[in-house]
């Protein structure tokens, strides 16, 4: 959720045409920090949270991102100075006492916060790992994987060769306890390397391509190492244990209702209290929920709303209309078509996975009937001629869990299905 310090550049848009069942979205700047250049890059805009929308009669997670022409750039757009300032009426005594009690809780949590990651801490990781070799091998693997002229055999083998070269250095890396934490950019980079290696491994398995054993060893090593970083982070922040999947999903749903729902403020404050009292959440997240509660109380007394225009407001409205159309097309195509498409695309992998697990075979029809859409992400990109290109990412799960927790993934680019594979 971030550190709760900068929430200025978030904009709400009311939708002329609903996207699935939602009529309002909150959008924030989409930025990413690149370790190799040590710069923050601006990619455009994205939803500030995952929404719950109804697709084919069931609730699924939904998010999107919007890219203006020429993204990414190494600087964000200029944000106009607010034209009007907020005026907040004095709090009634009861509200003043309530806000003061929240401020006390924030102070108590902050007093026990460990030092948060900064640039100096991020650089320390490279004292234990050859930065140039790590980045070079990762970039070479990405280039090999993105080579549109190569077939899958070449892509898998070349990418896996470069990824496998990263293993010895990672195995020799012995981080001190204070760096074994999961809230750093370094931990995020490791998670992305793990995801990349798994994608290569799964595509190789699907296409019966032999890969060096070191790639699987890399997956196992990073998986274990990042688990230990999570444990270290939990210990550092005083988190009792990791959430179960059900607890995590319930927390996300409550987060959405509390921050973006349309229920009365009093009910949203109760939801926020449930969240800030949850000791399985990071203290940073709990502080943010307390700050959000204070903002909700202030909102009740605000006389004039601060006006901070979005630099690309008209472009975003145009893209929101396009996203409405793409989601409508998906809904019209229908669940039956997509279930069958995923079942046929994963048929070979299904046989090998179920054989390995000692499970009886499933027909394509039976498998299709067990497949459900879990989440949906849309990326739109503005072209110089004004056209909007899009990518649609769909994540499915089968109720039999035939792939041992792995998610089925489909990529659609401009109405053409480009990929069906396993992820995670």
């Amino acid at each position: 959720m971030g550190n709760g310090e900068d929430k200025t550049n978030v904009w709400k848009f009311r939708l002329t045409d609903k996207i699935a069942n939602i009529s309002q979205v909150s959008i924030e700047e989409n930025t990413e920090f690149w370790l190799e250049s040590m710069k923050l890059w601006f990619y455009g805009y994205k939803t500030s949270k995952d929404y719950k929308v109804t697709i084919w009669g069931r609730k699924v997670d939904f998010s999107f991102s919007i890219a203006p022409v020429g993204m990414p750039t190494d600087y964000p757009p200029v944000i106009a100075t607010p034209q009007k300032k907020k005026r907040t009426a004095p709090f009634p005594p009861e509200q003043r006492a309530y806000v003061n009690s929240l401020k006390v809780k924030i102070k108590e949590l902050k007093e026990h916060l460990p030092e948060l990651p900064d640039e100096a801490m991020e650089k320390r990781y490279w004292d234990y790992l050859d930065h140039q070799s790590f980045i070079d091998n990762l970039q070479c693997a990405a280039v090999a994987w993105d080579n549109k002229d190569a077939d899958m055999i070449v892509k898998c083998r070349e990418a896996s060769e470069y990824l496998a070269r990263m293993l010895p250095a990672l195995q020799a890396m012995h981080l001190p306890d204070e760096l074994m934490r999961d809230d750093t950019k370094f931990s995020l980079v490791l998670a992305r390397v793990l995801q990349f290696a798994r994608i290569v491994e799964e595509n190789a398995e699907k296409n019966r391509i032999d890969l060096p054993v070191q790639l699987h060893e890399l997956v196992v090593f990073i998986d274990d190492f990042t688990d230990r970083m999570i444990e270290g982070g939990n210990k550092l922040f005083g988190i009792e244990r990791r959430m179960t999947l059900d607890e995590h999903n319930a927390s996300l749903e409550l987060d959405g209702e509390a921050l973006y729902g349309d229920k009365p403020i009093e009910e949203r404050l109760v939801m926020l209290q449930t969240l800030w009292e949850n000791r399985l959440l990071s203290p940073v997240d709990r502080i943010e929920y307390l700050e959000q509660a204070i903002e909700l109380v202030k909102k009740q007394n605000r006389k004039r709303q601060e006006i901070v225009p979005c630099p690309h407001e008209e472009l975003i409205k145009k893209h929101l209309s396009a996203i409405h159309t793409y989601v409508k097309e998906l809904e019209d195509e229908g669940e039956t078509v997509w279930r069958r498409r995923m079942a046929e695309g994963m048929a070979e992998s299904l046989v090998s996975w179920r054989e390995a697990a000692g499970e009886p075979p499933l027909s394509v029809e039976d498998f299709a009937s067990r497949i459900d859409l879990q989440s949906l992400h849309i990326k739109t990109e503005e072209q110089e001629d004004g056209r909007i290109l899009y990518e649609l990412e769909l994540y499915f799960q089968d109720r039999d869990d035939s792939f041992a927790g792995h998610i089925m993934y489909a990529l659609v680019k401009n109405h053409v299905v480009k990929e069906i594979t396993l992820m995670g």
Side-chain angles (χ1 to χ4, degrees):
M1 291 179 55
N3 60 16
E5 295 297 325
D6 182 7
K7 287 293 179 181
T8 301
N9 303 334
V10 178
W11 300 273
K12 287 186 178 181
F13 285 82
R14 290 197 176 276
L15 305 177
T16 304
D17 299 308
K18 287 185 177 182
I19 298 175
N21 58 305
I22 57 175
S23 57
Q24 178 176 288
V25 292
S26 291
I27 294 174
E28 65 184 11
E29 292 175 343
N30 184 10
T31 59
E32 184 174 331
F33 183 82
W34 288 12
L35 275 173
E36 54 266 38
S37 62
M38 298 301 287
K39 282 185 178 181
L40 190 68
W41 290 80
F42 174 70
Y43 282 78
Y45 303 90
K46 63 179 180 179
T47 44
S48 57
K49 62 177 285 291
D50 279 355
Y51 287 87
K52 287 287 186 182
V53 300
T54 302
I55 304 286
W56 303 325
R58 68 180 70 251
K59 291 284 188 181
V60 302
D61 292 325
F62 172 70
S63 60
F64 61 80
S65 59
I66 293 171
V69 175
M71 297 296 110
T73 61
D74 61 352
Y75 57 88
V78 176
I79 305 300
T81 303
Q83 298 171 356
K84 297 179 181 178
K85 292 187 176 180
K86 300 181 245 188
R87 291 183 182 177
T88 304
F91 290 134
E94 300 84 2
Q95 285 188 343
R96 188 184 311 117
Y98 177 70
V99 168
N100 287 339
S101 71
L102 299 186
K103 289 180 177 178
V104 169
K105 294 179 189 295
I106 291 172
K107 182 180 178 181
E108 291 172 349
L109 284 170
K110 285 186 174 180
E111 286 175 349
H112 294 90
L113 274 182
E115 179 185 357
L116 296 179
D118 57 14
E119 187 173 330
M121 180 181 290
E122 295 292 349
K123 287 182 176 178
R124 284 188 62 199
Y125 285 97
W126 303 111
D127 294 338
Y128 302 89
L129 186 66
D130 185 334
H131 175 270
Q132 196 58 53
S133 174
F134 183 91
I135 295 300
D136 286 349
N137 282 313
L138 182 56
Q139 288 179 337
C140 288
V143 169
W145 188 251
D146 291 336
N147 185 357
K148 295 180 173 57
D149 297 326
D151 60 25
M152 185 56 68
I153 294 176
V154 172
K155 290 169 68 169
C156 283
R157 287 180 176 165
E158 289 188 355
S160 64
E161 180 181 342
Y162 286 113
L163 289 171
R165 290 178 186 176
M166 302 166 73
L167 179 61
L170 288 170
Q171 289 174 325
M173 179 179 63
H174 299 290
L175 297 179
D177 289 345
E178 66 269 20
L179 294 183
M180 289 298 290
R181 51 194 292 174
D182 63 330
D183 61 338
T184 62
K185 294 183 177 70
F186 181 79
S187 65
L188 179 60
V189 169
L190 284 185
R192 288 177 175 171
V193 173
L194 176 61
Q195 182 185 38
F196 185 10
R198 279 175 167 163
I199 290 172
V200 174
E201 193 175 50
E202 288 158 5
N203 275 274
E205 182 174 356
K206 178 180 178 181
N207 292 278
R208 304 185 186 280
I209 302 168
D210 292 329
L211 296 181
V213 68
Q214 289 87 348
L215 181 69
H216 184 67
E217 291 174 356
L218 177 73
V219 169
V220 172
F221 177 83
I222 298 181
D223 194 25
D224 175 69
F225 194 87
T226 51
D227 277 348
R228 287 188 283 127
M229 293 187 87
I230 291 171
E231 291 171 3
N234 286 349
K235 182 179 179 181
L236 184 68
F237 283 92
I239 300 173
E240 296 174 357
R241 59 174 175 80
R242 293 179 69 172
M243 286 188 183
T244 65
L245 181 60
D246 287 343
E247 288 170 336
H248 176 72
N249 290 338
S251 177
L252 283 179
E253 189 161 353
L254 193 60
D255 172 287
E257 287 289 330
L259 298 182
Y260 307 102
D262 54 5
K263 293 185 177 180
I265 285 179
E266 291 76 12
E267 292 186 33
R268 293 168 66 189
L269 288 172
V270 172
M271 296 177 193
L272 285 169
Q273 181 174 350
T274 300
L275 289 164
W276 81 60
E277 290 180 348
N278 186 351
R279 296 184 62 84
L280 299 183
L281 290 171
S282 160
V284 176
D285 290 344
R286 294 168 65 194
I287 288 170
E288 183 169 345
Y289 288 127
L290 285 159
E291 290 172 340
Q292 290 286 351
I294 292 174
E295 282 301 309
L296 276 182
V297 176
K298 287 181 178 179
K299 186 176 179 180
Q300 288 180 312
N301 295 276
R302 194 162 293 155
K303 295 298 184 183
R304 188 177 295 176
Q305 188 71 26
E306 186 179 61
I307 300 173
V308 182
C310 176
H312 294 100
E313 182 172 346
E314 293 306 314
L315 177 140
I316 288 174
K317 290 179 180 178
K318 173 184 172 183
H319 281 243
L320 289 174
S321 177
I323 290 170
H324 157 79
T325 300
Y326 301 143
V327 173
K328 183 68 165 58
E329 289 173 352
L330 176 69
E331 291 179 302
D332 291 343
E333 194 170 15
E335 184 176 39
T336 301
V337 169
W338 266 102
R339 281 178 161 176
R340 180 78 187 192
R341 181 176 290 151
M342 295 303 296
E344 291 176 347
M346 298 302 304
E348 288 187 21
S349 295
L350 178 71
V351 171
S352 58
W353 277 79
R354 291 184 72 87
E355 281 181 356
E359 297 290 339
L362 281 177
S363 67
V364 169
E365 292 75 15
D366 285 342
F367 182 43
S369 69
R370 292 165 165 81
I371 295 174
D372 295 320
L373 178 65
Q374 298 293 309
S375 63
L376 169 67
H377 177 77
I378 296 179
K379 174 185 176 182
T380 58
E381 190 172 307
E382 184 87 1
Q383 303 299 294
E384 290 186 358
D385 59 7
R387 291 179 302 129
I388 297 177
L389 302 184
Y390 82 97
E391 290 184 5
L392 181 66
E393 294 181 300
L394 302 99
Y395 300 83
F396 295 85
Q397 185 111 38
D398 75 289
R399 277 173 249 138
D400 277 357
D401 196 20
S402 298
F403 300 110
H406 294 267
I407 298 294
M408 291 177 285
Y409 168 82
L411 173 65
V412 179
K413 290 187 177 182
N414 306 312
H415 308 285
V416 178
V417 179
K418 292 290 188 179
E419 184 178 11
I420 292 177
T421 187
L422 285 179
M423 291 188 72

